[in-house]
């Protein structure tokens, strides 16, 4: 069977839908050709598609601008294009990125980020022009009011109190001066949310490997390919090093010239805006003189979203499993680490040494260490009730002059704000003890007063937990029990499995069959004699996390495709009404031109769409757990 | 002997034994089980019991904000210069299979709704090709063969990126729904007022009519409209009126010209 006759891979379908949803039909048609056939030249795309070559070129321009395709380096005579799968899938996450940024910084920053997301990449100068083109013209007018006035058109006919409300909100969102924009960009770059754009970001994995290899050859062997095992190992090592260096160069923050340093305000991801507003953003003169960093081209860092998603997910787990206050303290801890974590896992790791003795037993990452003292201080600033969620007896032991009564209530009650520093610190450590004792090992004790977060270890636990959740939801307890037994014991035949699980073969067989068909459990047949007979062979059952993970990821992608198909169907059902509602005369005065039934339909459509999109973003959380938090799990 | 209030005759057994109240007779043995008030299912269970599909939990406040961002970002992209609608009846960009005929304009035409009407001039223009001459590009990042496309179009106008200064812009549907809800609330409030002060009824209506002057606008009164106003297009009413007219009693020459 030829490749084109086979079913389209699910990720191709998903990403094509996403591109169409965001950038329209032309972009998605070109995308679909490239996605179906892989790395291609423009002429080949033209050949495989019904579109003409002009359309294809314009489609490629859109895709390149939005970083959805790679292209080979411009030094080469022929340009090959390839899909950037990570970035294409990341279209689902645009809203999440904007929201994360709003939560960590403020609305203005979120505005800059969401604009960058829609623009793909942009040079700082262009961005400044776009924000302050009108501003520059009306320098004489009162600062900022012009911008507000033009935006405010929609809300203008509300009653006065309402207008005031929206007005203030806009002040929170609208940038005051170019200086402020620079400050925001600098902060975002320091925290790793925005990175420089380099041509190397357009290299596909293959091209990147070739470039890194050539560089390594030139540096060390003068262009000749080395022979010999040691040299080849050396070459592989150098290639990885080159790749890492190339990638880390994007994250560097250039020295911004003579800008106000406001970055310190954002430490620990505070979402308190009071501190920020003290800076007097409107006081500075509207300087539109060109600066050194104007040539800088920036974009949103695609890897940072996964880091933030991981933190949010862990915090929500703690909130579910331990307590609200513990979750808030954990959030403080993770946010303080977030600035220094550019990505969830190293994409180009050095392989572990071959002989077993040299292999290190999971060396801890010392960058992921937090002082309990810092957390305690921060908790006081944010006014978190650190006594909540702890055992009263533990509190009584730490806080002086309070005892636990017979009913388990502290007397006199402890006021968290009146505690001294030492007591607060010990209470925070008591929370950390809870985190440490949890089977997930949310934190690990590092040294006196210092705690570490082992993200890599936890990522594996999270994957296992998601798989177990899925099996539990689809099957019964016994399915999950089976998975756990197999994970603990490795490959087992049926009799051993029955002994391990303390269940009868009849109970197990159906479950094993079901899970095998679903791809969570594998079976293996080992013949005992040279003939292949069922009676004379061993039938082993085993469980591989990596395979189950891939299967579940595949299923999740499929679920997302179904959601997008459903949205398209629902939209098609009321297509006429939607195009009527979007008419230039109707938009804005819907109540005047549309009938009641049409308004009801629109409302219903909106609810349906919101529900489906919500589900899409929830499934995206699952995708992140399964795909983005750790690299391939290899089981030897 | 009383039945002991048992709901079923299950414990009765084949021999016709009657058990004492508070006991059950099973296979000739008296069990001290009090089954009073318990509905025992006698028939076989449903083969396919109805299982409603699992419902996702409603959005949290946090998720609602994320959804708002999603629609805002997407709306912005749809209003941007890159968004295109081809409407050519194809699903992917792949070449048609051999023997498959390309959809023509006639085959894509919808004879019921596709006809150009006057209001077509208000329709939102749809782009077939992206508009590239309105925004600046960073040329070095594009492959050489695509760079010529970036410079196409008029060079007179200055190229400026499109940015919004406001992110939490409500989607148009959201806006209109809120408007509508506001109107409903107003209408309800008005109705209450009217009930309270029947004497001022006419005045209120008059005022409203002065305010609007537009029939379509006044949707809250539609139901009464269709009955009271003389709508010539209502076929049922046409016949109803015919029945109601009592020709015998009326002056036959009343409606005729003289």
């Amino acid at each position: 069977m030829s490749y084109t006759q086979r079913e389209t891979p699910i990720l191709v379908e998903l990403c094509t839908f996403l591109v169409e949803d965001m950038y329209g039909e032309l972009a998605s048609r070109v995308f679909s050709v490239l996605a179906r056939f892989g790395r291609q030249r423009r002429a080949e795309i033209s050949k495989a598609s019904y579109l003409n070559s002009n359309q294809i070129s314009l489609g490629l321009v859109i895709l390149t601008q939005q970083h959805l395709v790679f292209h080979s380096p411009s030094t080469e005579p022929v340009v090959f294009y390839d899909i950037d799968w990570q970035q294409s899938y990341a279209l689902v996450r645009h809203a999440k990125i904007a929201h994360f940024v709003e939560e960590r910084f403020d609305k203005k920053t979120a505005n800059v980020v969401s604009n960058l997301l829609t623009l793909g990449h942009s040079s700082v100068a262009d961005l400044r022009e776009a924000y302050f083109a009108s501003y520059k013209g009306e320098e004489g007018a009162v600062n900022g009011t012009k911008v507000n006035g033009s935006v405010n058109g929609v809300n203008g006919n509300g009653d006065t109190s309402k207008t005031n409300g929206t007005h203030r909100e806009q002040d929170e969102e609208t940038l005051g001066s170019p200086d402020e924009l620079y400050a925001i960009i600098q902060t975002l770059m320091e925290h790793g949310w925005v990175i420089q754009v380099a041509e190397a970001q357009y290299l596909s994995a293959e091209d990147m490997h070739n470039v890194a290899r050539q560089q390594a050859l030139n540096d060390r062997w003068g262009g000749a390919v080395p022979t010999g095992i040691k040299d080849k190992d050396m070459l592989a090592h150098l290639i990885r090093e080159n790749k890492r260096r190339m990638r880390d160069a994007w994250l560097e923050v250039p020295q911004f010239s003579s800008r106000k340093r406001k970055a310190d305000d954002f430490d620990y991801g505070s979402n308190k805006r009071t501190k920020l507003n003290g800076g007097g953003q409107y006081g500075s003169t509207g300087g539109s003189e060109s600066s050194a960093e104007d040539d800088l081209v920036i974009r949103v860092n695609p890897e940072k979203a996964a880091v933030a998603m991981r933190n949010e997910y862990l915090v929500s787990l703690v909130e579910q499993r331990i307590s609200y206050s513990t979750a808030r303290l954990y959030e403080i801890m993770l946010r303080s680490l977030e600035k220094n974590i550019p990505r969830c896992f190293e994409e180009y790791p050095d392989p572990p040494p071959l002989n077993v003795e040299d292999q290190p037993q999971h060396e801890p990452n010392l960058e992921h260490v937090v002082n309990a003292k810092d957390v305690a201080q921060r908790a006081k600033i944010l006014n978190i009730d650190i006594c909540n969620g702890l055992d009263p007896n533990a509190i009584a032991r730490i806080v002086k002059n309070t005892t636990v009564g017979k009913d388990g209530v502290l007397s006199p009650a402890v006021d968290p704000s009146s505690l001294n520093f030492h007591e607060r610190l010990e209470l925070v450590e008591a929370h950390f003890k809870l985190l440490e004792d949890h089977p997930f090992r949310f934190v690990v004790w590092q040294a006196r007063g210092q705690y570490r977060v082992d993200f890599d270890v936890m990522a594996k636990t999270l994957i296992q937990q998601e798989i177990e959740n899925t099996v539990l939801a689809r099957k019964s307890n016994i399915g999950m029990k089976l998975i756990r037994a197999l994970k603990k014991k490795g490959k087992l035949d049926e009799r051993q499995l029955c002994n391990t699980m303390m269940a009868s073969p009849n109970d197990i067989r159906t479950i094993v069959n079901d899970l095998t068909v679903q791809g969570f459990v594998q079976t293996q047949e080992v013949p005992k004699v040279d003939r292949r007979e069922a009676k004379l062979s061993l039938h082993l059952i085993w469980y591989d996390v990596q395979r189950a993970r891939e299967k579940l990821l595949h299923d999740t992608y499929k679920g997302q495709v179904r959601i997008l198909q459903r949205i398209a169907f629902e939209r098609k059902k009321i297509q006429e009404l939607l195009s009527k509602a979007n008419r230039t005369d109707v938009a804005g005065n819907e109540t005047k031109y549309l009938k009641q039934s049409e308004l009801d339909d629109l409302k219903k459509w909106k609810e349906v769409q919101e529900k489906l999109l919500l589900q899409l973003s929830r499934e995206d959380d699952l995708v992140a757990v399964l795909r983005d938090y750790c690299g391939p799990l290899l089981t030897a | 002997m009383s039945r002991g209030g048992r709901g079923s005759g299950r414990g009765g057994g084949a021999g016709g034994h009657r058990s004492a109240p508070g006991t059950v007779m099973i296979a000739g043995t008296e069990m001290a089980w009090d089954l009073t008030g318990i509905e025992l299912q006698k028939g076989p269970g449903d083969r396919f019991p109805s299982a409603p599909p699992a419902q996702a939990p409603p959005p949290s406040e946090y998720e609602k904000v994320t959804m708002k961002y999603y629609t805002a970002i997407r709306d912005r992209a749809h209003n941007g210069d890159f968004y295109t609608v081809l409407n050519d009846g194809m699903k992917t960009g792949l070449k048609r299979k051999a023997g498959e005929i390309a959809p023509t304009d006639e085959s894509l035409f919808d004879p019921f709704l596709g006809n150009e009407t006057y209001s077509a001039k208000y329709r939102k223009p749809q782009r077939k090709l992206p508009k590239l001459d309105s925004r600046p590009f960073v040329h070095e990042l594009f492959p050489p063969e695509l760079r010529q496309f970036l410079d196409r179009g008029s060079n007179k106008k200055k190229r400026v990126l499109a940015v919004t200064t406001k992110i939490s812009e409500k989607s148009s549907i959201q806006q209109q729904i809120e408007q509508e809800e506001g109107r409903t609330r107003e209408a309800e409030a008005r109705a209450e007022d009217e009930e309270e002060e029947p004497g001022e009824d006419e005045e209120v209506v008059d005022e409203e009519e002065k305010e609007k002057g537009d029939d379509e606008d006044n949707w809250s009164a539609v139901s009464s409209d269709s009955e009271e106003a003389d709508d010539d297009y209502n076929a049922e009413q046409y016949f109803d009126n015919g029945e109601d007219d009592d020709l015998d009693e009326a002056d036959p020459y009343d409606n005729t010209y003289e």
Side-chain angles (χ1 to χ4, degrees):
Chain A
M1 198 157 60
S2 82
Y3 177 69
T4 45
Q5 283 170 310
R6 273 185 235 155
E7 203 186 336
T8 323
I10 203 74
L11 190 58
V12 172
E13 249 177 87
L14 175 60
C15 290
T16 312
F17 266 119
L18 287 175
V19 173
E20 178 167 347
D21 194 39
M22 200 60 106
Y23 300 111
E25 292 186 345
L26 180 64
S28 88
R29 301 277 156 89
V30 177
F31 186 91
S32 69
V33 179
L34 207 49
R36 192 76 175 101
F37 292 109
R39 185 178 157 89
Q40 272 175 318
R41 284 171 298 193
R42 194 167 56 142
E44 286 162 341
I45 302 173
S46 227
K47 218 165 143 190
S49 170
Y50 76 99
L51 298 164
N52 64 35
S53 102
N54 187 35
Q55 284 175 314
I56 285 171
S57 303
L58 291 174
L60 283 173
V61 168
I62 301 176
L63 295 175
T64 313
Q65 176 66 36
Q66 306 295 346
H67 288 264
L68 300 175
V69 295
F70 293 122
H71 58 77
S72 52
S74 49
T75 46
E76 282 173 25
V78 189
V79 185
F80 281 90
Y81 298 90
D82 201 353
I83 300 286
D84 184 346
W85 291 110
Q86 288 285 336
Q87 191 68 27
S88 313
Y89 178 79
L91 286 175
V92 177
R93 290 191 188 156
H94 277 184
K96 280 187 188 159
I97 295 175
H99 194 191
F100 285 148
V101 170
E102 182 195 321
E103 215 189 1
R104 280 159 182 71
F105 307 104
D106 57 356
K107 282 198 169 171
K108 288 177 190 178
T109 318
N111 181 6
V112 174
V113 163
S114 71
N115 274 322
L116 267 180
L117 284 169
T118 22
L119 293 172
H121 60 248
S122 140
S123 74
V124 175
D126 286 340
L127 204 60
R128 192 199 60 208
E129 285 277 302
Y131 268 108
F132 298 106
S134 57
Y135 177 87
K136 229 164 66 184
E138 284 123 19
E139 200 97 52
V142 187
N143 244 357
T145 38
K146 189 71 191 172
V147 184
N148 283 340
S150 60
V151 177
N152 213 357
V154 186
N155 296 328
N157 39 13
D159 56 342
T160 42
S161 64
K162 223 176 175 179
T163 318
N164 279 340
T166 47
H167 191 79
R168 206 177 53 233
E169 197 178 318
Q170 268 165 27
D171 273 352
E172 246 173 51
E173 273 179 44
T174 318
L175 290 170
S177 68
D179 272 349
E180 207 184 346
L181 176 67
Y182 285 121
I184 283 175
I185 290 173
Q186 189 183 5
T187 316
L188 282 172
M189 289 188 88
E190 276 165 2
H191 285 255
W193 284 95
V194 166
I195 53 173
Q196 302 180 30
V197 183
E199 225 198 317
Q201 281 169 19
Y202 278 112
L203 296 182
S204 61
E206 194 184 340
D207 285 328
M208 185 144 172
H209 183 83
N210 287 341
V211 168
R213 183 166 182 271
Q214 199 54 47
Q215 203 184 341
L217 289 179
N218 290 344
D219 287 353
R220 201 173 168 96
W221 290 280
V225 182
T227 51
I229 296 170
K230 268 197 172 173
D231 271 358
K232 273 186 181 160
D233 282 351
M234 188 70 190
L235 176 63
H237 174 72
L238 283 177
I239 290 174
R240 279 193 300 272
E241 222 165 51
N242 281 340
K243 282 182 188 170
R244 285 194 293 250
R245 204 170 44 227
M246 236 192 284
R247 181 197 60 193
D248 290 341
W250 306 335
L251 291 169
E252 270 169 28
V253 186
Q255 200 58 48
F256 275 67
S257 54
S258 72
R259 299 295 167 199
K260 267 180 291 177
R261 300 271 309 169
K262 280 190 199 167
D264 294 337
D265 286 349
F266 287 121
D267 266 355
Y268 296 127
S270 137
N271 42 12
K272 292 215 157 188
R273 294 194 194 95
T274 43
K275 279 173 101 186
L276 266 175
N277 289 337
Q281 295 100 339
Y282 300 102
S284 53
T285 50
S288 51
E289 77 278 5
S290 63
S291 325
E293 54 267 21
D294 275 357
D295 292 335
L296 191 70
V297 184
I298 51 171
R299 67 179 283 210
V300 174
N301 184 0
E303 286 171 330
K304 191 74 181 185
V307 177
M309 280 173 85
R310 180 171 68 180
N311 288 351
E312 296 294 319
Y313 185 75
L314 287 174
V315 169
S316 74
L317 267 186
V318 171
E319 198 173 325
Q320 279 169 29
R321 290 170 175 244
I322 302 179
S323 78
Y324 177 79
S325 289
T326 317
R328 294 285 79 74
L329 292 173
Y330 196 47
E331 191 174 21
I332 294 172
M333 188 173 180
L334 292 178
R335 292 246 175 118
S336 71
L337 290 174
E338 196 173 280
K339 187 183 172 187
N340 299 322
I341 305 177
R343 63 189 68 83
C344 284
F345 64 95
E346 176 60 64
E347 211 177 325
Y348 313 108
D350 283 322
L354 284 178
N355 41 346
V356 183
E357 298 91 62
D358 292 354
Q359 280 184 12
Q361 282 296 318
H362 176 71
E363 63 183 60
N365 189 343
L366 294 181
E367 280 181 6
H368 298 169
V369 175
V370 176
N371 274 323
K373 226 191 291 178
D374 299 339
V375 177
Q377 271 168 353
R378 187 78 201 151
K380 194 184 181 197
I381 294 171
L382 293 179
N383 222 348
I384 293 173
D385 180 9
I386 48 174
C387 293
N388 189 10
L390 286 179
D391 176 17
N393 289 305
I395 298 177
R397 232 174 290 133
I398 293 165
V399 181
K400 279 172 202 134
N401 306 330
T402 185
T403 47
V404 183
K406 270 183 190 161
D407 48 355
V409 178
L410 286 170
S411 61
V414 180
D415 178 13
S417 57
S418 67
L419 296 171
N420 66 33
F421 175 74
H422 185 71
E423 285 165 344
R424 256 186 295 125
L425 183 62
E426 286 207 16
L427 284 176
V428 168
E429 292 211 45
H431 278 285
F432 284 172
K433 189 87 180 63
L434 289 179
L435 290 170
E436 197 189 350
D437 289 344
H438 194 271
F440 277 18
R441 308 273 285 172
F442 288 112
V443 297
V444 180
W445 187 84
Q446 167 78 17
R448 194 181 159 78
Q450 289 187 332
Y451 291 84
R452 191 179 72 229
V453 187
D454 277 344
F455 288 110
D456 300 344
V457 181
M458 249 190 300
K460 284 167 200 159
T461 325
L462 294 183
I463 291 174
Q464 175 64 23
Q465 190 228 356
E466 285 296 348
I467 292 169
E468 280 173 12
N469 280 350
T470 312
V471 172
L472 186 64
R474 285 192 196 170
K475 294 282 133 200
S476 49
N477 288 338
I478 198 164
M480 191 170 83
K481 201 171 149 194
L482 181 93
I483 297 256
R484 284 186 176 173
L486 288 174
K487 184 164 190 286
K488 195 172 177 191
K489 297 279 182 182
K491 282 183 190 177
L492 294 178
D493 74 359
E494 195 176 70
R495 181 194 290 258
Q496 288 168 318
L497 187 62
C498 290
N499 288 340
T500 315
M501 287 177 63
M502 294 196 278
S504 73
N506 283 336
D507 292 345
I508 292 177
R509 260 175 215 157
T510 49
I511 301 283
V512 169
N513 277 346
D514 274 352
L515 288 178
T516 314
V517 169
Q518 287 177 20
F520 289 112
V521 160
Q522 272 73 40
T523 54
Q524 188 181 12
E525 201 178 324
V526 184
K528 276 194 268 192
V529 292
D530 51 1
R531 297 188 314 282
R532 186 165 171 266
E533 261 180 58
K535 262 195 170 175
L536 295 173
S537 1
L538 285 170
H539 292 269
L540 299 177
I541 307 160
W542 52 293
Y543 165 72
D544 182 8
V545 192
Q546 178 65 18
R547 286 195 193 189
R549 172 194 185 188
E550 280 166 16
K551 182 70 175 69
L552 189 52
L553 182 61
H554 184 269
D555 288 354
T556 315
Y557 283 151
K558 212 171 225 173
Q560 289 182 308
V561 169
R562 300 287 175 264
I563 287 172
L564 289 169
Q565 282 172 338
R566 179 64 187 264
I567 291 179
F569 173 77
E570 294 284 343
R571 184 185 293 129
K572 206 174 159 196
K573 270 206 308 202
I574 61 158
Q575 185 60 51
E576 281 307 316
L577 177 56
L578 278 181
S579 64
K580 186 175 174 190
N582 282 332
R583 259 168 41 180
T584 47
D585 58 334
V586 178
N589 341 307
E590 279 83 358
T591 40
K592 195 171 163 191
Y593 289 117
L594 297 182
K595 282 183 282 186
Q596 182 61 33
S597 63
E598 289 177 323
L599 287 172
D600 289 346
D601 283 351
L602 272 183
K603 192 177 174 188
K604 205 175 140 209
W605 148 247
K606 197 205 138 229
E607 278 165 8
V608 167
Q609 190 198 22
E610 198 151 85
K611 213 170 183 180
L612 288 167
L613 287 176
L614 180 68
Q615 193 60 27
L616 188 71
S617 95
R618 282 177 182 166
E619 292 195 3
D620 174 46
D621 290 340
L622 180 57
V623 169
V625 172
L626 293 171
R627 192 190 69 178
D628 293 340
Y629 300 162
C630 74
L633 300 170
L634 299 176
T635 44
Chain B
M1 194 183 240
S2 79
R3 282 178 175 269
R6 275 183 288 116
S8 72
R10 190 180 157 199
H17 292 289
R18 301 282 169 157
S19 51
T23 57
V24 189
M25 190 74 86
I26 292 176
T29 318
E30 201 177 62
M31 314 291 276
W33 297 341
D34 190 4
L35 299 183
T36 321
I38 295 176
E39 288 269 328
L40 289 177
Q41 199 188 353
K42 278 170 278 178
D46 285 348
R47 185 177 267 188
F48 301 110
S50 74
Q55 292 286 321
S60 62
E61 287 304 312
Y62 186 87
E63 285 167 328
K64 271 183 194 160
V65 178
T66 314
M67 286 300 103
K68 222 161 58 182
Y69 269 108
Y70 189 92
T71 37
I73 289 176
R74 197 179 56 173
D75 282 354
R76 195 140 23 101
H78 284 199
N79 293 328
D81 293 336
F82 283 174
Y83 190 72
T84 49
V85 180
L86 297 177
N87 242 343
D88 53 2
M90 300 289 288
K91 288 224 165 113
T92 62
L94 299 177
K95 201 161 215 129
R96 281 174 283 272
K97 292 194 186 80
E100 202 178 308
I101 308 153
T104 55
D105 283 348
E106 288 80 37
S107 72
L108 289 172
F109 182 73
D110 177 7
F112 296 102
L113 297 163
N115 248 333
E116 282 266 294
T117 53
Y118 177 74
S119 63
K121 70 171 181 175
Y122 294 119
R123 235 172 248 158
K124 215 172 145 189
Q126 290 180 335
R127 247 183 232 107
K128 290 214 163 190
L129 289 175
K131 188 166 163 248
L132 299 182
D133 61 352
S134 63
R135 59 168 287 172
F137 290 97
V138 183
H139 286 234
E140 302 83 58
L141 292 172
F142 286 84
E145 61 183 25
L146 291 182
R147 284 180 198 165
Q148 48 163 322
F149 292 93
L150 306 179
D151 296 327
R152 276 194 191 170
S154 62
N155 285 328
K156 289 171 204 159
K157 234 172 65 182
K158 204 180 169 217
R159 292 170 174 236
V160 177
L161 293 174
V163 295
T164 49
T165 46
K166 198 161 155 268
I167 29 172
S168 58
E169 213 169 2
K170 283 173 194 152
S171 67
S172 55
I173 294 178
Q174 176 73 36
Q175 273 170 20
Q176 79 204 31
I177 283 166
E178 277 180 12
Q179 273 179 14
E180 183 217 333
E181 275 167 359
R183 291 182 65 87
T184 317
R185 245 174 279 131
E186 260 174 46
E188 277 169 6
R190 213 184 297 137
E192 278 170 19
D193 284 351
E194 281 169 18
E195 276 169 23
E196 281 167 17
E197 306 155 52
E200 293 169 11
D201 205 354
E202 287 172 13
E203 285 174 31
V204 173
V205 173
D206 278 353
E207 275 171 21
E208 274 164 27
E209 277 175 10
K210 266 178 224 159
E211 271 172 23
K212 287 161 198 159
D214 198 341
D215 270 352
E216 283 173 50
D217 205 3
N218 195 5
W219 53 265
S220 57
V222 161
S223 54
S224 61
D225 249 19
S226 61
E227 286 161 19
E228 286 162 16
D230 48 346
D231 44 350
D232 300 332
Y233 298 104
N234 192 341
E236 282 178 25
Q237 208 173 36
Y238 181 83
F239 287 111
D240 284 348
N241 283 347
E243 278 170 16
D244 285 346
D245 285 342
D246 208 345
L247 290 173
D248 292 342
E249 285 179 18
D251 181 6
Y253 299 107
D254 200 8
N255 286 332
T256 53
Y257 292 107
E258 286 174 1

